[in-house]
Amino acid sequence: MIGVVADDITGANDIGIMFAKSNYTVDVYSSIQSEDKQLNGTDVLILDTNSRFDEAKTAYQKVFQATKELHKRGVTQFFNKTCSVFRGNIGAEFDAMLDALDEDFAIVVLGFPKNGRKTIQGIHYVHGQPLEDSEFRHDPVHPMTCSNLVDILKSQTNRKVTNIKEGIIKQGSEILREIIYALKKDYQYVIMDVTDQADLKTIANAVYDFKILAGSSALAEELPAVIGKKPEQTLPKNVPEYHQGKGLFCAAGSLMPQTFEQIEYMRARGASVFELDSLCLLDKERFTSSKTQLLNVMVTEINQGKNVILHSTNDPLKVKETKQKAFQQGISNREISQLVSSTLAEMTKAVLQQTGQKRFVIAGGDTSAAVCHRLNISGIRVWKEIQPGLPSCISLKNDPMLFVLKSGSFGHRDFIKQAFLHLKEQLLEPGGVVR
């Protein structure tokens, strides 16, 4: 069994679909407290530590414990799934996995060409821009001001870090494997250049049997071709019905431009789009009076067959004003972000309860985690890919839900449209078979 430790829920799904596409049965849990029988037949077990926004010490402890739990359950190959632009506690989490397994070497692959991430000469690019010049430079919690991946990782670990550049990778997997073994004598982390999908195939053929792999999910797409695909995927017996005649709901808490573009795309095509005013959240009395009205309008529209999107404030000036007002009230950027996510989660639960619809879309990692927590979803089965790294999934509980959790910076302009179509089309045939 392959074991993955992921630092957020959308990242867990992101890597999960890379294996699920090859018919691996992939389960994601927020903890390992589940009964053993629920894990029977699982090919890839993923634990979401939700540690990206933690302090480094806390993140280390979470990953250390999660790795130990995976090892106890017979996992033989481990993957430390991080953000595809190295946001978060990269060094602490990589070190934690090595320490937990008493190992001292890991392959690190961050490039994800299908989602615009490339590593060239050790410099990471996002849609052609160096990381430090991309939208991630302005991340409210982890602003990325450096593009050199070796330098970023070196700043967070005492272990030695190096980079294998594209020229070596282009020479093929055999030569690459020889170089890696030579570097193992002096380095603990080897970061690979990735310029295209062919590079990922070469890397997969060179490192498929290494005990610890780390980074983005992209490498995981190529691994099954080397270690073997599965003939079929096991799906949960119960898939929630789609209430035809009613619309679908999407809650978006991401500030990324990709999500903004996806929302505007839907607005132009007739979706009902509502804003959760972040300034209003800081005035409890004002928000309490407006929340009920907003909720009633959204529920009415969904029941009338309209698709509804509720998004957090994404206007840069208003976001800045919100941060300033929050600061005056003693509220940090992280705390206001959590307030937005928890409010979106609360309203998502209310919408689903009042419409009876059990299929939905969430955009943003923090918001996705908050929604899963509010809906008491602790285990999910990764199902079908909609766009690269963006799958649907089914909750593993007696009253299941079918939903999509989207990383804020992933997806094409039409992603929400495609996600809604996917959720509407996945119906049960007679006998309970999913088509």
Side-chain angles (χ1 to χ4, degrees):
M1 183 163 57
I2 297 171
V4 180
V5 178
D7 65 353
D8 80 341
I9 187 62
T10 54
N13 286 349
D14 173 12
I15 192 169
I17 192 58
M18 298 304 178
F19 291 105
K21 285 193 296 185
S22 293
N23 291 324
Y24 285 57
T25 298
V26 180
D27 291 336
V28 180
Y29 290 93
S30 58
S31 72
I32 199 64
Q33 303 304 317
S34 312
E35 296 179 11
D36 287 347
K37 65 180 182 180
Q38 291 182 283
L39 302 180
N40 289 342
T42 301
D43 298 310
V44 180
L45 176 59
I46 304 175
L47 297 185
D48 165 33
T49 56
N50 192 30
S51 53
R52 183 173 299 173
F53 299 107
D54 289 330
E55 295 293 329
K57 183 177 180 180
T58 301
Y60 177 96
Q61 293 170 341
K62 284 184 175 181
V63 173
F64 186 93
Q65 184 61 34
T67 303
K68 286 288 190 182
E69 293 291 350
L70 290 173
H71 188 258
K72 287 179 184 178
R73 293 175 184 271
V75 167
T76 55
Q77 187 175 41
F78 297 79
F79 206 118
N80 195 315
K81 168 64 179 69
T82 65
C83 172
S84 61
V85 297
F86 261 2
R87 290 177 298 169
N89 302 287
I90 308 302
E93 299 202 7
F94 287 178
D95 285 349
M97 180 168 280
L98 292 184
D99 292 346
L101 296 171
D102 197 23
E103 297 282 340
D104 212 26
F105 185 78
I107 295 293
V108 181
V109 180
L110 208 61
F112 193 162
K114 289 184 178 181
N115 271 316
R117 279 81 164 140
K118 296 182 180 181
T119 308
I120 304 172
Q121 303 295 306
I123 303 300
H124 205 50
Y125 294 84
V126 179
H127 298 295
Q129 289 186 312
L131 177 57
E132 64 196 272
D133 296 327
S134 73
E135 60 263 32
F136 294 100
R137 181 180 182 87
H138 306 290
D139 186 273
V141 181
H142 295 291
M144 304 305 296
T145 58
C146 176
S147 305
N148 188 306
L149 297 184
V150 171
D151 288 347
I152 294 173
L153 186 51
K154 275 184 175 180
S155 71
Q156 298 188 35
T157 180
N158 291 323
R159 287 182 163 99
K160 292 185 178 180
V161 186
T162 192
N163 165 237
I164 294 182
K165 295 179 172 55
E166 58 178 309
I168 293 175
I169 295 170
K170 298 298 185 187
Q171 294 181 49
S173 57
E174 291 186 8
I175 291 177
L176 175 58
R177 192 175 175 92
E178 290 177 5
I179 296 295
I180 292 172
Y181 271 100
L183 290 173
K184 279 185 69 175
K185 300 173 184 177
D186 300 307
Y187 296 93
Q188 289 76 57
Y189 296 120
V190 175
I191 300 175
M192 302 285 186
D193 271 9
V194 175
T195 63
D196 52 31
Q197 200 68 22
D199 287 345
L200 290 171
K201 292 180 181 179
T202 299
I203 295 168
N205 277 280
V207 306
Y208 69 93
D209 58 348
F210 279 59
K211 189 168 185 176
I212 302 174
L213 307 173
S216 78
S217 65
L219 180 62
E221 184 176 17
E222 300 297 338
L223 287 174
V226 185
I227 61 181
K229 297 183 178 183
K230 302 287 182 176
E232 61 182 11
Q233 183 186 26
T234 303
L235 294 176
K237 294 181 179 180
N238 298 321
V239 177
E241 293 185 12
Y242 167 65
H243 289 283
Q244 299 189 54
K246 294 186 178 183
L248 290 168
F249 179 70
C250 170
S254 172
L255 297 177
M256 288 294 166
Q258 291 84 357
T259 296
F260 174 78
E261 186 179 16
Q262 291 156 4
I263 292 171
E264 292 306 303
Y265 180 91
M266 292 300 292
R267 189 198 304 273
R269 282 152 183 77
S272 297
V273 179
F274 300 91
E275 178 182 343
L276 178 65
D277 192 329
S278 56
L279 276 172
C280 187
L281 286 179
L282 297 174
D283 185 335
K284 291 184 179 180
E285 184 176 340
R286 177 184 165 201
F287 178 67
T288 300
S289 63
S290 64
K291 180 174 67 174
T292 301
Q293 181 180 0
L294 175 59
L295 185 59
N296 289 339
V297 172
M298 292 192 299
V299 168
T300 298
E301 299 225 348
I302 291 174
N303 285 334
Q304 290 176 349
K306 297 180 181 179
N307 293 325
V308 169
I309 299 173
L310 174 65
H311 69 89
S312 59
T313 296
N314 50 28
D315 176 78
L317 292 178
K318 189 179 285 189
V319 170
K320 183 178 180 180
E321 186 180 356
T322 300
K323 291 180 180 178
Q324 291 173 341
K325 187 174 180 179
F327 179 77
Q328 293 170 359
Q329 296 182 14
I331 301 173
S332 68
N333 286 348
R334 176 61 183 144
E335 288 169 332
I336 188 63
S337 176
Q338 289 176 320
L339 176 60
V340 170
S341 295
S342 63
T343 304
L344 285 170
E346 176 187 350
M347 298 192 74
T348 297
K349 181 177 181 178
V351 167
L352 298 178
Q353 287 178 333
Q354 294 184 37
T355 62
Q357 198 69 282
K358 294 183 179 179
R359 301 181 177 204
F360 58 92
V361 178
I362 306 296
D366 216 13
T367 306
S368 294
V371 169
C372 286
H373 177 73
R374 186 58 63 97
L375 295 177
N376 196 30
I377 296 173
S378 60
I380 61 179
R381 174 72 48 84
V382 180
W383 191 12
K384 300 290 184 181
E385 186 175 52
I386 302 169
Q387 289 181 5
L390 296 169
S392 59
C393 44
I394 304 168
S395 57
L396 297 173
K397 61 179 188 176
N398 293 331
D399 186 22
M401 294 182 170
L402 173 61
F403 51 93
V404 178
L405 306 177
K406 186 191 89 71
S407 172
S409 61
F410 278 16
H412 305 312
R413 183 178 61 166
D414 65 347
F415 175 75
I416 297 176
K417 173 187 174 182
Q418 294 301 321
F420 280 166
L421 288 174
H422 171 84
L423 294 180
K424 290 180 178 180
E425 290 171 354
Q426 305 305 312
L427 304 176
L428 287 175
E429 293 179 340
V433 177
V434 180
R435 64 173 174 87

